[in-house]
Amino acid sequence: MRHFTDFLIASLIPLLILLHLYLSPYTKVEESFNLQAVHDILTYGVPFREIPAKLVAQYDHLSFPGAVPRTFVGALALAGVARPFIWLSESIDRQILVRAILGLFNSFSILAFRNGVARTFGRQAANWYLLLQASQFHIIYYASRTLPNMFAFGLSTLALRGFLLTTTSSPGAWVTSTRLRLSIGLLTVAGVIFRSEIAILLATQTAYLVFRKRVSLNRDIIPAGIGAALLGLLVTVPIDSFFWLRFPLWPELAGFYYNAIEGKSSDWGISSWHSYFTNALPRLLMNPLTWQVCIPLAVGMRATRHASLNILIPLLAFLGIYGIQPHKEWRFVIYAVPGLTAVAAIGASWIWTRRSKTLVYRVLSLALVASILASSSVSLGMLAISRLNYPGAEALSRVHDYGHGSRIASVHMDTLSCTTGITRFLEKPPPQSMMGGGSTLWIYDKTEDPQILLRPTFWERFDYVLAEKPEKVIGRWEIVEVVEGFAGFGLIKPGDGMEGHAKRSVPADTFWKTSIADTCPDLQPLWQIIEGFLRHHVTKGWWIGVKMKPKISILRKQIGPYNISPS
């Protein structure tokens, strides 16, 4: 029975990651490079003849290179794993497939870390770790998203498992030394190829182990680090020089120079040095009991203090040092979350095993269960809201419905559309034959040049346009549909009802949805039960409404003389 319970709890991680993928299948611009790269590799293959001409003509990254080059290593790996599944079924949804592969790899790393927690602190602490991890939103939601950070996340989590086991093993043992070198290698490779900030995490982890005299700098750290760095360079430099047509190219070095040395990352905003502690971590950990009760308890109890500090000190040092960089985003420090959650699980296990001894532990145990249920509900609500951030993908899907049956259909997609969900995976491939009925050859355009967009002749070749500002589109067009997107929250008063839209005084271009269930039909039955109970018994009718706003207009060409709209 114990093994079955462990299995059920462990299955939460991959199942929740796949559920989030299924319910929110589209992606944002931050994820687009790797996803477009996987598409191009799967669709066009890797050219070995006329390489520059084919890459320029077929691959997306040379037309839209971004501020700094990104590595193709992760995209190439995903494409390689996905290819056998495509051979088995050509009709498989390739974007879902690719994201599922990444999500399952990250779920494997989380479960491997869980096993490390179990070997170090026991199965009960391991199960609490999984429950706390599963009730957090960001890792579960982003585990399948092709951000460079999420490629690095799996490797860093596997490395942290090794460091966790190293701190509890006998120093100098062959197994300990091998495990440590592997962990150093994983972090080094992740930093060299995917995210350079992992070098800070590697430095804090190894410095702490040297300080504790757990490892030898000359015998363990330097050989493992140099070997892994060379391996990473031998992988990334040839591959990325090939795809970017620039030799030699080390993308992470270029990104580090651009962001850290030239300070360009500050153009995206700056935050105070303590923001990772006061803003990012509470959001990532989500459950307030983790940092307000469980982690302090794990550090405060003599029996768990030493093991907890072995995990905490390197991670907190990483956060403190990286906080010097002015520009901050939660995804830059997501690698610390499994370790911090593990320490919280130690405290949670301590409380749970003593729930029958005193009233205080009994109350805290009930609070733990309630907090996980509450965090899971909040995470569910965040999932429902996050679905609303991809109006571009929704609009393109509806355009395909409008143009179905046409022999040839062309569509222009503006910048907002392309940055809110549209990827090359969503584009319809050319039909194998134009002779059959219902076959449509779709032509897609993503022109951004403002001078070209002012030419009336530019718009003549399109049948449909996706536009944030339809008044900027030149010619005779009809708006056939408007796709809305998330625009914020608002308070709904008792009596506004549970169905339809609340009647409120809001700007003309917005409307309210009274229920998060309205934003996520797949979860509607479950969420309506939760919402109904909370509104009736807890909030007495008060609720949080979701504010929607028109984002993208779908325009269809009208036959007739052109009418140039003012710009």
Side-chain angles (χ1 to χ4, degrees), residues 303-474:
T304 59
R305 180 183 302 149
H306 179 73
S308 299
L309 290 177
N310 284 340
I311 301 172
L312 278 178
I313 290 175
L315 297 179
L316 295 180
F318 162 66
L319 296 171
I321 295 172
Y322 199 27
I324 298 172
Q325 178 74 6
H327 177 62
K328 298 175 179 64
E329 295 184 34
W330 62 261
R331 57 192 174 95
F332 297 163
V333 295
I334 198 169
Y335 326 107
V337 173
L340 296 174
T341 305
V343 177
I346 298 171
S349 177
W350 180 277
I351 292 170
W352 187 254
T353 55
R354 289 158 178 79
R355 65 187 183 279
S356 61
K357 293 185 176 181
T358 67
L359 179 61
V360 172
Y361 283 125
R362 192 174 300 119
V363 172
L364 287 175
S365 297
L366 292 174
L368 270 177
V369 174
S371 69
I372 287 180
L373 293 175
S375 296
S376 299
S377 298
V378 172
S379 182
L380 187 66
M382 293 176 69
L383 168 60
I385 292 166
S386 297
R387 287 168 53 99
L388 305 176
N389 288 318
Y390 309 98
E394 296 285 354
L396 183 60
S397 176
R398 298 178 195 182
V399 162
H400 288 150
D401 294 334
Y402 285 115
H404 180 69
S406 304
R407 185 173 177 83
I408 299 177
S410 57
V411 55
H412 169 75
M413 305 169 291
D414 73 352
T415 300
L416 181 63
S417 302
C418 292
T419 57
T420 55
I422 290 179
T423 69
R424 301 187 83 175
F425 277 115
L426 302 185
E427 298 177 1
K428 297 287 187 182
Q432 295 182 350
S433 172
M434 297 297 293
M435 301 301 293
S439 298
T440 303
L441 174 62
W442 281 94
I443 301 172
Y444 302 91
D445 177 80
K446 299 189 290 186
T447 300
E448 297 177 319
D449 190 328
Q451 296 302 316
I452 295 178
L453 297 179
L454 289 175
R455 300 173 187 171
T457 53
F458 169 78
W459 301 96
E460 293 179 4
R461 55 195 177 100
F462 300 114
D463 301 297
Y464 298 92
V465 173
L466 304 183
E468 178 186 10
K469 298 179 179 178
E471 67 275 9
K472 298 287 186 179
V473 180
I474 299 173

Side-chain angles (χ1 to χ4, degrees), residues 43 75 78 132 222 266 354 376 395 446 448 474 528:
T43 303
L78 284 183
L132 291 169
I222 292 178
S266 297
R354 289 158 178 79
S376 299
K446 299 189 290 186
E448 297 177 319
I474 299 173
Q528 283 180 341

